[in-house]
Amino acid sequence: GQQVMQIPQYQHVQEGEDFTTYCNSSTTLSNIQWYKQRPGGHPVFLIQLVKSGEVKKQKRLTFQFGEAKKNSSLHITATQTTDVGTYFCAGPGLIFGKGTKLSVKP
Amino acid sequence: DTGVSQNPRHKITKRGQNVTFRCDPISEHNRLYWYRQTLGQGPEFLTYFQNEAQLEKSRLLSDRFSAERPKGSFSTLEIQRTEQGDSAMYLCASSLVGGEAFFGQGTRLTVV
């Protein structure tokens, strides 16, 4: 499997602020998936990106896949307390990054 | 419930004992994955199956760990001679090839 690195490890934001997490690979990825894990829960699938330069939106969440297919990002606009959790990217073979833990202060 | 099912949910065992966990995937899913997760860390890949074939096993996995998926349906993960460092949440996930993965609730192992 191909390893992916995520930054930052932690992000603390005030409710209403934006949040971005980045996922990077040293090799080209055929696809990338994003998952969210709530505290005490298990990872839940958010989205899969396959095409170079792909951008997908889910309400306040925007996912991007880089042109070189070596990096990806997840951006949340105007965070809410329900966004709290750890966001993971996973490369082919479902190899997970270490995740970005998001906390939101009301 | 037609999701991924894992049993038991919790297991406490003494150091040196063997333990076995079971995962029942979503029935039409041909891929099945095992992960280990400790507090504050991401799911650490252990192994995965496509149907009954074990296609990849982490180099981090010691010989004390073995997994099977004998009929391409449910899978078992066995840990022999457990150590305190094996204490973790063991997660199972299933998917179609190239599709999204669905995770079970996990088995929390505590080695005392």
Side-chain angles (χ1 to χ4, degrees), chain B:
Chain B
D1 186 354
T2 56
V4 178
S5 176
Q6 290 188 246
N7 289 288
R9 293 290 305 279
H10 303 274
K11 178 70 177 179
I12 300 174
T13 190
K14 290 184 178 180
R15 190 173 49 189
Q17 297 294 305
N18 299 343
V19 293
T20 300
F21 310 141
R22 176 177 170 126
C23 172
D24 287 90
I26 293 172
S27 58
E28 61 267 27
H29 284 181
N30 45 16
R31 284 203 174 166
L32 186 149
Y33 303 81
W34 284 100
Y35 296 88
R36 176 172 61 191
Q37 188 174 31
T38 52
L39 198 62
Q41 300 297 312
E44 178 189 2
F45 172 81
L46 297 178
T47 189
Y48 91 93
F49 294 83
Q50 184 157 315
N51 301 314
E52 65 275 10
Q54 187 173 17
L55 295 188
E56 191 168 344
K57 186 175 176 180
S58 170
R59 290 172 296 173
L60 301 174
L61 211 58
S62 79
D63 292 342
R64 296 184 298 106
F65 287 71
S66 63
E68 294 183 341
R69 193 183 184 196
K71 296 181 180 179
S73 56
F74 74 92
S75 175
T76 57
L77 177 69
E78 182 183 17
I79 308 175
Q80 296 182 328
R81 304 181 302 281
T82 52
E83 302 172 356
Q84 286 191 319
D86 297 330
S87 295
M89 177 72 83
Y90 289 84
L91 292 167
C92 173
S94 72
S95 75
L96 295 171
V97 174
E100 65 180 275
F102 292 81
F103 281 79
Q105 299 287 342
T107 295
R108 181 169 296 284
L109 173 66
T110 302
V111 182
V112 298

Side-chain angles (χ1 to χ4, degrees), chain A residues 1 33 35 37 45 48 88 94, chain B residues 35 37 42 56 98-101 103:
Chain A
Q33 297 183 354
Y35 290 79
Q37 186 172 23
F45 175 82
Q48 176 169 269
F88 296 100
L94 221 55
Chain B
Y35 296 88
Q37 188 174 31
E56 191 168 344
E100 65 180 275
F103 281 79

